Amino acid sequence: MIKRRICILWVLMLCAIAGWTQILTVQDEDTGEPLELVSISSDAPKAFTSTDNLGQADISDFEGGDLIQLSLLGYLPYSGSYEDMEANAFTVLLKSSFLKMDEIVVSASRWRQSSRDIPAKVISVTPGEVALQNVQTAADLLGVSGKVFIQKSQQGGGSPMIRGFATNRLLYAVDGIRMNTAIFRGGNIQNVISLDPFAMEQTEVFFGPGSVIYGSDAIGGVMSFKTLTPQFSLMDKPLVTGKSVFRTASANNERTGHFHINLGWKKWSLITSISASDYDHLRMGNVGPEDYLKTYFVQRQDSIDVVVDNEDPLVQNPSAYAQMNMMQKVRYRPNDQWDLQYGFHYSETTPYGRYDRHLRVRDGLPRYAEWYYGPQKWMMNNLSISHLYENTFYDEFFIRIAQQSFEESRINRSLHESERSRRIEEVEAYSVNFDLLKRFGKRNTLYYGMEYVFNDVHSKGLEENVETGEMKTGPSRYPNSNWRSLGFYVNDQFKISESFMLQAGVRFNQFGLKADFDSEFYPFPFKTADINSGSVSGSFGMVYRPTETMVISSNLARGFRAPNVDDVGKIFDSEPGAVVVPNPDLKPEIAYNWDINAARIFGNRVKIDLSLYYTLLENALVRRDFNLNGQDIILYDGVLSKVQAIQNAAKARVYGIQTGIEIKFPKGLGLSSDFNIQVGEEELDDGTLSPSRHAAPWFGTTRLTYTTEKLNLQFYSNYQGTRAYDDMPFEEKGKTEIYAADENGNPYAPGWITLNFKAMYQISEHFSLSSGLENITNRRYRPYSSGISAAGRNFILSLTAKF
């Protein structure tokens, strides 16, 4: 009887152990700390998961796997079998190393892939880097990479420039959903600030055309933002985790708070995230060009516009604004094959001043009494469904259905004028993505799918008399219109050997636009626009890895940008004395790109990477002089203005170099640097060449780091080269208000360098403190093409609590 009870007890213990050992724990080899967001993947069986904040993941789906790979940026990759892990009590220790050749990314194909299988260049910005840098916006987050240049027209903004392209020639994706709309313009945009840096699980930048996967606009690159994923409980009791952050900064008196909480059960999980920020007028540095000083601002006093002396010309008034972000996600996984997620995102800013427009003068006085953006609002509802089931048609299947609402507005009034103009735009965007993956043996993987996008654009104009309060209808910025796109793609990867891989893809895209023009305010010679056209995109690339410490890749790609509502139907003042009017006769831009990338690690101490690229843009959509009903000059906003329109009238080319070096010294010391050179040329109306507006001067970042178990220190420098007047783009030479003046009085962009220091200390298991001093030398500088000066000396303090 006793022996029987002992046997039963042993059976129960073995069953319990078997159930427990399906949970893998991943820790830092040196500190023993649990590692969160470690990617765990296997091809046979096909499975993927990631660790939670306890460093744990359920790997029951990986049972029997011969090759299970673990990947986390900043750590050496781990490969082993399920049996190896079982022999080590299902505990894996990862060794720290920033000299890493591979990581798991999703931006290249919308599927999780090792970067070793991607011919194009892809980089990641981790939550750890974001936390150390204490970025204020998602635009600043991209700038942390050292490979993306950020332009700002006002504090509430940030327009990325990648390899000489920007705005509607770049694509934004949030959780795999296209964020670009039909009113993304060629001028600088600020939509990226709608995203919450605190809610990002991973941010990636894909360099070069990505039109095979993403369709229109993905010419210069793709910025992919993956938000926090709800985590399940691995135990019988619910999983409750979360984080709260409070931060302040001196240059704009920032006050930011963030809180998110994750609740997880076996099959259900949800995450709630809320962030709120308040920024005062931004203070610039006190050492630099006096051209940037703001000596005045306009106030409305007793129904009269008054130009007031700015008591502190370092304070950039008006630039203050506030913002809030909310996110709610619900996840349901009924079994190992199905995974369903619903996400709700909402962002709203307060009105904020278009600072660069407040620098314009006319007859010695400010041009505008008011010029500001109304609240920028963004809402997204998205449902994603994934299915793992090996059959004839696919091994994995992903559906993404999304609805997005965008609202933006522009409000301006000239000095001493009573009429206030309002232009209000609303876009409803709907999209459906089907993405499928099929493997044919161990060497061949096929990715294919389709995408449908529909944008409904509503625009209205209002004219308000500020003295009487009377409101009447005014001209709108856009015609009421819709834009649609239907695309089918196929992308194939074939491993010729363990060291050599080929990839080829093609996409056919049909797009259309319909617009109704109102001739009440402007005598357009047309009432409607109807565009229906198509474009074919393709790519062909290779990856060669002669050793585990060296990789060479190259990619040829053809991308496109379909004309949108902003191109076809916009009316706006592009610069003083010029007005852009609609042009319904447009075709897509076509980009041809070639790049080659190489990276090598020397002795696990030094890593060097280099990328060369060349892009040719044909049928470029550019502003050119135009006629409206035979007139080349019309009266707009009370000013006689030269008529211009967007036209397929130019070719452009961009080429450049991106290079980086990382050095690991003993005792936690490290040195890294990123450097970028881009040269762009664009045809003018007379056939001559001008530098491209969005090809920034050379820029880069150099970092000296020190890391211990609890302390992370970084001393770094950001820098940009000078853009002399003779090298300025033609259209930038007329924007004298945003640039410094050289000895001849001509506008130019001075070079600059800043010194900065950041620190993060882990006080305890649950609390960490981070601080920083940016622009230590208090330089007064303005990044190229920006309309607002960067922050002067800025002290940052942040406290984080995790549970």
Side-chain angles (χ1 to χ4, degrees), residues 697-698 720-725 727-728 748-752 784:
W698 58 259
Q720 173 210 287
T722 297
R723 178 63 58 84
Y725 173 76
D727 299 324
M728 291 281 284
Y748 83 112
W752 50 265
Y784 164 74

Side-chain angles (χ1 to χ4, degrees), residues 194-214:
S194 293
L195 306 179
D196 184 3
F198 290 108
M200 294 303 150
E201 189 170 286
Q202 186 168 2
T203 302
E204 300 171 12
V205 180
F206 176 96
F207 292 91
S211 290
V212 169
I213 302 299
Y214 293 96

Side-chain angles (χ1 to χ4, degrees), residues 310-419:
N310 191 357
E311 294 181 358
D312 188 348
L314 300 180
V315 175
Q316 301 176 92
N317 183 351
S319 60
Y321 81 105
Q323 179 172 339
M324 61 86 66
N325 289 78
M326 298 174 58
M327 182 184 77
Q328 179 65 62
K329 282 189 171 184
V330 180
R331 185 180 180 190
Y332 174 57
R333 188 173 62 186
N335 52 49
D336 294 337
Q337 294 181 330
W338 290 94
D339 195 329
L340 292 81
Q341 290 189 51
Y342 164 75
F344 170 80
H345 303 259
Y346 184 78
S347 171
E348 182 175 348
T349 70
T350 60
Y352 52 93
R354 173 75 187 263
Y355 183 78
D356 61 339
R357 294 299 173 95
H358 286 272
L359 301 177
R360 291 185 176 180
V361 296
R362 183 171 62 181
D363 299 329
L365 292 174
R367 170 72 175 82
Y368 295 102
E370 304 174 34
W371 211 122
Y372 59 93
Y373 289 106
Q376 178 174 296
K377 301 177 184 179
W378 170 66
M379 181 183 72
M380 180 170 77
N381 293 276
N382 70 298
L383 175 67
S384 64
I385 304 172
S386 66
H387 186 217
L388 280 73
Y389 180 69
E390 295 184 10
N391 57 57
T392 304
F393 300 103
Y394 63 88
D395 296 339
E396 298 180 57
F397 179 72
F398 220 121
I399 304 175
R400 296 177 178 90
I401 304 171
Q403 176 270 331
Q404 300 179 76
S405 297
F406 300 82
E407 181 181 326
E408 58 186 53
S409 56
R410 295 161 178 81
I411 300 94
N412 67 79
R413 183 175 61 84
S414 297
L415 187 71
H416 301 314
E417 296 291 336
S418 60
E419 292 294 321

Side-chain angles (χ1 to χ4, degrees), residues 719-746:
Y719 37 85
Q720 173 210 287
T722 297
R723 178 63 58 84
Y725 173 76
D726 290 339
D727 299 324
M728 291 281 284
F730 177 77
E731 59 186 300
E732 293 295 290
K733 288 182 178 180
K735 302 176 182 178
T736 56
E737 71 274 9
I738 69 172
Y739 290 103
D742 62 18
E743 63 272 11
N744 298 317
N746 294 319

